[in-house]
Amino acid sequence: MLEKVLQRLGYEDLLPFQKEAISQMQDASANYVVQAPTGAGKTLIAIYWILNNVSSGKVIYAVPSKALVAEKATELQKALGDEYSVAKETWHADIVVGTFEYFYKVLLSRPHLLSEYGFVVLDDFHTLYDAHRGSTIEKLIALCKQHGTKILALSATIEPLQLIAEWLDAKPIKIPLELRPIKLRKQVLILGGRNKKASLIDWLSKNVRTYAPILVFCATKDYTSSRAKALAEKLPPSRDLDEVKAEMEEYKGDLLDEDEEDLAFAISRGVAWHNSELHPRIRSFVENAYSRGHVKVLFATTTLAYGVNTPTKTVVVADPYRCGELIPAYEWLQMAGRAGRLGLIDEGIVITVASDERLKQVIEEKYHSERVEYVDPPLSNEEILKLTILELVYKDYRYVEDVL
């Protein structure tokens, strides 16, 4: 069956690290936590685990975002063919794909489903670092452990692996970063001067051909749109504007608003932005345009840093600071990992923007070593724990102590 999966996905064979991971996953009764580099094909490891277990019970596949639900469901159905059914957040299939929040909400109210769905894949497990979303994962894991559900957790960036494995009662499997199939070239770009935006836009306009497709991560939603509009003004048309507008209106099923008109202009110049304020169908249009090569430079918030597969050659981390401090290393690694995705593009570059030579050295020390911080269990936060207890009591859950 695994040979059929490889054929359907267009692979001749498993990569060495995938073979190594699978060789350590022969005990069907065990839980596993797998740490492997970004862009290395962890989904194939999950598929092997699913194939090994689906005859004994149905499978829950949990991911961080709605966008990933659609992407992962499509990928799994393509890989598994007609032998097994895959559904998005509905409970009639062999494999149900949904967000962490969706599964926790449903299983808290209907825990009996875990007697039928006895296996759970926790993809992008590093979401545990996020205080609020991480607490949802903790609670979901507690429900699963309470019902004896088998767990496979997948992450590129989570530590301490051994302690996490003990918490999950799982076998840890660690794949060295140097085994990433497409090596990342790490660079720091110094953009001095008072107007960082102008310097960044000027550099991008001069280097699109060299580095495209480029995914530029920005700290705010406003930055994504304002920077995209500024770059579009400096680039020549690459598509007919009326044609782009017509496609977007057809995709949306409605007329474009003023902001979407501006986005259409940017797309006609090979530029776009992506954030939560866009209409969901317009977001999908942008993602498809980028995947098809119609958009050469995409400005996005960090929502695209988690698991989404795009044919990105170059990632630019434009805003390494948040609230006066450098962003955590695990978050930087997730952004960097969007470049050089296996099966989509054969080169990967990550460029972090710095204001001066001193900051360049700090960035290289903090990020280029690829060492990540230890995760702080979200439920150790007193306020989050209080809210969790109130939530369980409100839901009239009978086993509050067991969950906590």
Side-chain angles (χ1 to χ4, degrees):
M1 181 63 185
L2 191 58
E3 289 76 16
K4 286 184 180 179
V5 168
L6 291 170
Q7 289 174 3
R8 288 169 183 150
L9 296 177
Y11 300 126
E12 293 183 4
D13 197 3
L14 292 169
L15 294 167
F17 97 83
Q18 292 167 330
K19 291 179 180 178
E20 174 62 26
I22 285 172
S23 72
Q24 298 181 51
M25 297 173 65
Q26 299 306 308
D27 184 356
S29 65
N31 297 327
Y32 297 94
V33 55
V34 179
Q35 186 186 85
T38 56
K42 288 186 289 296
T43 301
L44 271 174
I45 297 172
I47 289 172
Y48 167 81
W49 189 75
I50 289 169
L51 291 174
N52 232 23
N53 291 295
V54 73
S55 60
S56 304
K58 296 181 179 181
V59 179
I60 288 167
Y61 201 111
V63 296
S65 68
K66 288 282 189 181
L68 270 176
V69 170
E71 180 181 300
K72 197 60 64 175
T74 301
E75 184 179 5
L76 289 171
Q77 193 67 80
K78 179 181 178 181
L80 298 171
D82 297 329
E83 284 88 346
Y84 300 102
S85 56
V86 180
K88 294 179 288 186
E89 299 189 347
T90 53
W91 295 86
H92 61 267
D94 298 308
I95 301 152
V96 179
V97 185
T99 63
F100 299 123
E101 290 81 4
Y102 168 78
F103 284 122
Y104 173 64
K105 180 180 178 181
V106 171
L107 294 173
L108 186 62
S109 301
R110 300 159 63 191
H112 64 276
L113 287 169
L114 287 171
S115 62
E116 184 179 359
Y117 288 81
F119 302 89
V120 59
V121 178
L122 302 172
D123 207 346
D124 285 323
F125 189 54
H126 41 264
T127 308
L128 195 63
Y129 278 98
D130 182 280
H132 291 283
R133 304 196 69 204
S135 66
T136 300
I137 299 174
E138 278 196 271
K139 292 180 289 186
L140 176 59
I141 289 169
L143 288 173
C144 291
K145 289 173 71 175
Q146 186 185 18
H147 290 81
T149 308
K150 294 303 173 188
I151 296 170
L152 170 63
L154 300 168
S155 178
T157 55
I158 195 159
E159 292 288 355
L161 184 62
Q162 187 61 46
L163 286 178
I164 290 168
E166 290 175 12
W167 169 49
L168 293 176
D169 190 23
K171 178 179 179 180
I173 300 173
K174 185 167 185 174
I175 307 301
L177 288 167
E178 56 266 23
L179 293 183
R180 191 185 203 271
I182 299 173
K183 302 295 184 287
L184 289 179
R185 288 195 283 130
K186 307 179 191 74
Q187 303 173 10
V188 178
L189 174 65
I190 297 177
L191 294 178
R194 294 182 178 179
N195 194 333
K196 175 185 172 181
K197 173 183 170 182
S199 299
L200 175 63
I201 298 308
D202 187 56
W203 183 87
L204 286 168
S205 67
K206 294 174 180 176
N207 289 278
V208 171
R209 289 189 178 183
T210 303
Y211 291 99
I214 304 170
L215 178 56
V216 184
F217 282 111
C218 305
T220 70
K221 289 178 278 191
D222 286 344
Y223 283 173
T224 63
S225 56
S226 64
R227 288 168 174 171
K229 291 173 185 178
L231 180 59
E233 292 288 351
K234 295 177 75 72
L235 297 178
S238 56
R239 294 188 63 197
D240 180 74
L241 177 56
D242 290 335
E243 182 181 303
V244 173
K245 287 181 180 179
E247 288 181 10
M248 289 176 67
E249 287 178 349
E250 183 178 357
Y251 223 87
K252 183 183 178 184
D254 199 355
L255 296 176
L256 303 183
D257 62 29
E258 185 177 348
D259 200 42
E260 290 161 351
E261 292 268 357
D262 291 340
L263 178 58
F265 173 81
I267 292 173
S268 74
R269 304 295 178 104
V271 182
W273 66 87
H274 184 287
N275 62 50
S276 61
E277 288 186 351
L278 289 177
H279 187 286
R281 292 181 182 175
I282 295 298
R283 278 204 307 273
S284 295
F285 180 87
V286 168
E287 291 164 12
N288 289 334
Y290 185 64
S291 295
R292 295 198 308 267
H294 294 162
V295 169
K296 302 298 183 186
V297 185
L298 177 59
F299 294 82
T301 52
T302 55
T303 51
L304 277 186
Y306 288 87
V308 178
N309 264 330
T310 58
T312 298
K313 176 180 176 180
T314 305
V315 161
V316 175
V317 181
D319 305 305
Y321 273 92
R322 183 189 299 123
C323 300
E325 295 183 355
L326 284 169
I327 58 175
Y330 78 86
E331 190 173 327
W332 182 92
L333 278 169
Q334 286 303 317
M335 295 184 206
R338 297 313 101 199
R341 304 295 292 185
L342 183 65
L344 295 175
I345 199 161
D346 57 6
E347 187 176 3
I349 304 166
V350 55
I351 298 172
T352 308
V353 175
S355 56
D356 53 42
E357 188 65 37
R358 183 198 61 80
L359 182 55
K360 176 185 176 184
Q361 292 177 7
V362 173
I363 285 170
E364 289 173 343
E365 290 172 7
K366 184 175 179 68
Y367 300 135
H368 292 188
S369 66
E370 300 193 353
R371 293 189 300 268
V372 300
E373 304 82 4
Y374 281 15
V375 65
D376 189 17
L379 285 179
S380 64
N381 180 295
E382 186 176 347
E383 289 303 313
I384 294 176
L385 182 59
K386 287 178 181 177
L387 289 172
T388 299
I389 293 171
L390 289 172
E391 173 187 52
L392 294 173
V393 171
Y394 176 75
K395 287 286 187 179
D396 196 25
Y397 197 76
R398 297 180 181 181
Y399 309 104
V400 174
E401 291 183 3
D402 292 339
V403 171
L404 296 177

